[in-house]
Amino acid sequence: MAQAGTILFLPGDGIGPEIMEQVKRVIGWLAARGIEIAVEEDLVGGAAYDRHGTPLTEETLDKARRIGTVMFGAVGGPQYDDLPFEKKPERGLLRLRKELGLFANLRPAIVFPALADASSLKRELVEGLDILILRELTGGVYFGEPRGIEELPDGEKRAVDTQVYTSPEIRRIARVAFELARQRRGRVTSVEKANVMYTGVLWREVVQEVHDAEFPDVALGHMYADNCAMQLVRQPKQFDVIVTDNLFGDLLSDAAAMLTGSLGMLPSASLGAPAADGRRKALYEPVHGSAPDIAGQDKANPLACILSFAMLLRYSLDLGAEADRLERAVAAVLEKGYRTPDIAQPGTTLVGTSGMGDRLLAELDASVA
Ligand code: IPM
Ligand code: MG
């Protein structure tokens, strides 16, 4: 049997465990066909807090560093809302991103033909849509110092967050954007607010320099973030690769996700810089959250998680053909009209989380029959 690699499973909270269960079934399916992926599993987020009093233990972080490839479910839930900032489930995820140096966050927004009517936009605006939001993930206002809330002498309070970028941080994410665009339709839109923010001025300048010096073959445009939000819902097909900072990327990728009909469909990959052996540390996660309101009810859509796993196969295990196979199986299941509640439409067949997994495995079987 071919040993394809080892991955760390961090299912997390809410619907995390049940959608990750469907990924495990796909891993089982691959193993039965001679592609063995070893899985280690651990706690993260609220689940880790409940057990260990912290959303990410040092042991888990070490494991993630050693294994290098993480498949992540979702974190968070209302029972953790009142915890101090550093104990919140989300800190577990943010710490993994930062400590593993996962600066490049790929968020593709692809409209499956069968789902073009599930979008809140008209079919003709989204049919065939295939854009990639590349979000800088380890810098900007998410991590900038100083940050915090202080008490003022007069008893009032003052809160500070710091938006900060250095030219090397901008340069390395710009390079990833241009490299990805070369494999796609050759167009990059760089997004900031150079009209009001110094970080935006530097961002625009550095992206342009990298383009002119190394990627003159790629078409580059610059856009203000507010205009980009508007253009995304006005004429989304004008975009190919959008590269932007941590906070704007957070906002714009949610908007782009909705163009596809459901947040439940959007995968993501977060990649680090290549090491000496060419391997990148990486974390794969669905863009949607832990959806505590439907957790444990077999209602969650596992497809974003499955599609994230397809990205893992492609980028971390060099199993591009299996990634393609999995993505085709997802398209086929949708084509046949199977839908979880979040993407249900009149005339389609409602299935639950595990039912969607059943359909997917049936398509995988059919693909090798
Ligand atoms: C995302 C999420 C996270 C973020 C939260 C859970 C910290 O919204 O991955 O987009 O803001 O980055
Ligand atoms: Mg977000």
Side-chain angles (χ1 to χ4, degrees):
M1 177 136 31
Q3 172 68 54
T6 303
I7 66 182
L8 177 62
F9 248 59
L10 298 177
D13 310 322
I15 60 171
E18 55 198 293
I19 56 174
M20 290 279 273
E21 197 53 44
Q22 305 312 311
V23 174
K24 275 193 196 152
R25 297 175 70 191
V26 174
I27 291 176
W29 185 90
L30 288 168
R33 271 136 205 95
I35 300 170
E36 205 197 347
I37 299 168
V39 174
E40 292 192 32
E41 188 161 336
D42 213 331
L43 301 173
V44 73
Y49 175 79
D50 290 341
R51 173 81 69 85
H52 303 294
T54 169
L56 182 73
T57 65
E58 294 306 316
E59 291 72 32
T60 308
L61 181 56
D62 282 344
K63 224 184 262 184
R65 278 204 195 92
R66 173 170 53 78
I67 296 173
T69 308
V70 179
M71 184 70 221
F72 190 95
V75 289
Q79 67 272 46
Y80 308 111
D81 280 353
D82 296 329
L83 285 179
F85 207 59
E86 288 307 313
K87 302 274 184 204
K88 282 195 193 296
E90 291 79 3
R91 295 308 299 177
L93 174 59
L94 294 174
R95 195 142 177 253
L96 274 167
R97 290 174 177 170
K98 187 70 176 175
E99 297 285 334
L100 299 182
L102 308 176
F103 70 94
N105 182 217
L106 285 62
R107 298 191 163 186
I110 293 167
V111 170
F112 286 87
L115 289 186
D117 289 320
S119 171
S120 48
L121 295 194
K122 294 191 199 81
R123 171 179 269 274
E124 63 265 28
L125 287 180
V126 297
E127 205 164 26
L129 181 77
D130 175 4
I131 63 184
L132 178 65
I133 300 205
L134 180 65
R135 168 185 176 192
E136 199 291 327
L137 202 59
T138 52
V141 76
Y142 271 62
F143 299 99
E145 298 284 346
R147 65 203 324 258
I149 302 178
E150 62 178 355
E151 187 111 19
L152 296 174
D154 65 1
E156 298 291 354
K157 288 179 177 174
R158 177 171 179 270
V160 181
D161 293 285
T162 302
Q163 162 82 343
V164 53
Y165 273 104
T166 61
S167 36
E169 284 177 305
I170 301 169
R171 212 173 285 130
R172 66 178 181 176
I173 192 76
R175 288 200 177 107
V176 176
F178 292 124
E179 276 157 13
L180 288 167
R182 272 185 180 158
Q183 298 161 24
R184 296 171 48 94
R185 299 188 299 280
R187 218 147 20 102
V188 169
T189 307
S190 171
V191 172
E192 26 60 12
K193 275 193 63 84
N195 50 347
V196 284
M197 297 166 77
Y198 284 110
T199 47
V201 172
L202 185 66
W203 185 280
R204 186 174 283 223
E205 192 179 297
V206 173
V207 172
Q208 188 68 50
E209 277 168 15
V210 171
H211 170 269
D212 296 350
E214 301 170 39
F215 301 91
D217 53 303
V218 176
L220 170 64
H222 301 277
M223 199 179 266
Y224 297 140
D226 52 346
N227 184 27
C228 182
M230 192 262 274
Q231 297 297 335
L232 267 175
V233 290
R234 192 183 78 95
Q235 204 62 261
K237 283 192 249 177
Q238 69 184 283
F239 297 110
D240 179 14
V241 175
I242 293 175
V243 61
T244 189
D245 78 12
N246 206 342
L247 182 60
F248 294 142
D250 182 44
L251 307 180
L252 296 174
S253 62
D254 264 25
M258 212 47 227
L259 301 174
T260 69
S262 166
L263 209 49
M265 293 300 303
L266 205 69
S268 79
S270 304
L271 310 176
D277 62 0
R279 290 202 58 204
R280 294 172 183 269
K281 290 206 178 6
L283 180 147
Y284 301 84
E285 57 171 320
V287 170
H288 62 68
S290 57
D293 52 320
I294 59 164
Q297 299 170 37
D298 196 41
K299 283 185 184 161
N301 183 349
L303 294 179
C305 198
I306 297 278
L307 291 168
S308 303
F309 180 66
M311 294 181 90
L312 183 155
L313 293 175
R314 181 174 294 120
Y315 294 117
S316 286
L317 300 183
D318 221 9
L319 293 170
E322 297 308 317
D324 290 346
R325 181 199 301 285
L326 192 52
E327 287 166 355
R328 278 197 306 270
V330 169
V333 167
L334 296 172
E335 215 56 62
K336 291 188 176 157
Y338 296 107
R339 301 282 190 277
T340 42
D342 58 312
I343 49 175
Q345 289 159 284
T348 57
T349 309
L350 205 58
V351 291
T353 310
S354 56
M356 189 55 107
D358 296 342
R359 297 296 149 197
L360 193 76
L361 292 187
E363 286 304 329
L364 288 174
D365 282 339
S367 76
V368 295

